[in-house]
């Protein structure tokens, strides 16, 4: 145990490249997944049956299937139908689907939590449905859902470790490679855990702080 901390300190710099890949994968998943989640949040309650059925399908599959299954499907399954993606593209596509599915429910809950008086007021003012969505429902719904979305982003960052299974050189993959080359698995995984904590814990605190501050104005 005496040599553990020096080993961890020496390994940490070698994992920064993997951490960057994990953060990039998280960013891309949120960048494309959140707009899709917003779209699906309206789709699951839409009057148009085709739009509703498609939205419900993607949301239920994305929430019901583990992210690991979606990763394997994109990387190993799609080549069977002559669609071949790189490991990074496969991981990104799978996590975008997961992100869209979960955030759709979070955003839908936020939008449906908008006070009925706000909706009635917009109707009294003669606002069109488009303007009501643009100026009232979507902004206030996203504001209500923001703490939950921030919490999900933390979980998504942790879930990028699953991309190791499709050869993405993210943080967990780099830790395993370092452990394999040095035979010091314990320090490598401890170092990886510290880097995950360094991102996840402050981000969790921020989401809690945001929830407390926003609750004062709701």
């Amino acid at each position: 145990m005496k040599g553990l901390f020096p080993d961890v300190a020496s390994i940490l710099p070698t994992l920064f490249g993997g951490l960057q890949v994990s953060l990039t994968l998280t960013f891309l998943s949120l960048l494309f997944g959140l707009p899709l989640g917003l779209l699906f949040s309206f789709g699951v309650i839409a009057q148009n049956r085709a739009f509703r059925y498609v939205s419900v399908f993607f949301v239920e599959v994305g929430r019901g299937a583990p992210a690991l299954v979606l990763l394997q499907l994109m990387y190993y399954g799609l080549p069977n139908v002559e669609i071949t993606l790189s490991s990074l593209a496969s991981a990104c596509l799978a996590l975008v689907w997961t992100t869209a599915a979960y955030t759709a429910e979070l955003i839908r809950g936020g939008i449906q939590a908008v006070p009925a008086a706000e909706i009635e007021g917009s109707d009294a003012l003669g606002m069109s449905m488009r303007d009501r969505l643009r100026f009232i429902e979507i902004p206030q719904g996203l504001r209500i859902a923001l703490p939950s979305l921030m919490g999900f982003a933390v979980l998504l960052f942790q879930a990028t470790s699953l991309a190791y299974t499709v050869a993405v050189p993210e943080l967990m993959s780099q830790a395993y490679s370092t452990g394999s080359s040095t035979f010091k698995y314990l320090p490598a995984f401890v170092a990886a855990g510290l880097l995950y904590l360094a991102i996840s814990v402050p981000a969790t605190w921020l989401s809690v702080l945001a929830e407390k501050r926003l609750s004062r104005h709701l």
Side-chain angles (χ1 to χ4, degrees):
M1 291 298 290
K2 292 183 179 180
L4 176 61
F5 294 107
D7 287 340
V8 170
S10 65
I11 289 173
L12 276 172
T14 67
L15 302 183
F16 288 153
L19 176 62
Q20 184 177 3
V21 173
S22 294
L23 291 172
T24 300
L25 189 55
T26 302
F27 173 76
L28 292 174
S29 300
L30 292 171
L31 178 65
F32 295 103
L34 284 174
L36 284 174
L38 178 61
L39 178 65
F40 290 152
S41 70
F42 287 103
V44 295
I45 57 176
Q47 297 295 325
N48 184 288
R49 288 188 176 182
F51 184 28
R52 185 171 71 251
Y53 290 158
V54 170
S55 299
V56 169
F57 170 79
F58 279 102
V59 169
E60 293 302 321
V61 173
R63 295 176 68 229
L68 180 60
V69 173
L70 296 179
L71 281 163
Q72 301 298 312
L73 173 66
M74 299 301 173
Y75 190 67
Y76 295 108
L78 289 183
N80 289 335
V81 292
E82 300 182 356
I83 300 176
T84 302
L85 302 174
S86 68
S87 58
L88 183 61
S90 300
C92 187
L93 186 58
L95 292 177
V96 164
W97 190 348
T98 299
T99 299
Y102 279 94
T103 59
E105 289 299 291
L106 296 175
I107 294 172
R108 181 180 63 82
I111 290 174
Q112 291 183 332
V114 174
E118 299 282 347
I119 309 300
E120 294 171 358
S122 66
D123 292 336
L125 293 173
M127 296 178 67
S128 65
M129 180 177 292
R130 179 179 179 181
D131 287 340
R132 187 180 73 191
L133 291 173
R134 180 182 176 186
F135 296 112
I136 296 179
E137 293 192 47
I138 292 179
Q140 293 197 36
L142 289 176
R143 183 179 178 182
I144 294 170
L146 180 59
S148 297
L149 292 174
M150 293 176 66
F152 174 79
V154 175
L155 295 177
L156 178 65
F157 167 67
Q158 296 170 349
T160 59
S161 61
L162 298 173
Y164 151 73
T165 63
V166 293
V168 175
E170 45 72 56
L171 179 53
M172 191 64 187
S173 177
Q174 292 292 333
Y176 184 80
S177 296
T178 301
S180 298
S181 61
T182 63
F183 297 102
K184 296 180 178 179
Y185 287 99
L186 180 59
F189 291 138
V190 169
L194 290 175
L195 290 177
Y196 279 116
L197 287 173
I199 300 298
S200 300
V201 172
T204 301
W205 289 345
L206 284 176
S207 67
V208 172
L209 179 62
E211 183 176 10
K212 290 181 179 179
R213 297 196 65 173
L214 289 173
S215 63
R216 302 174 186 173
H217 306 285
L218 295 177

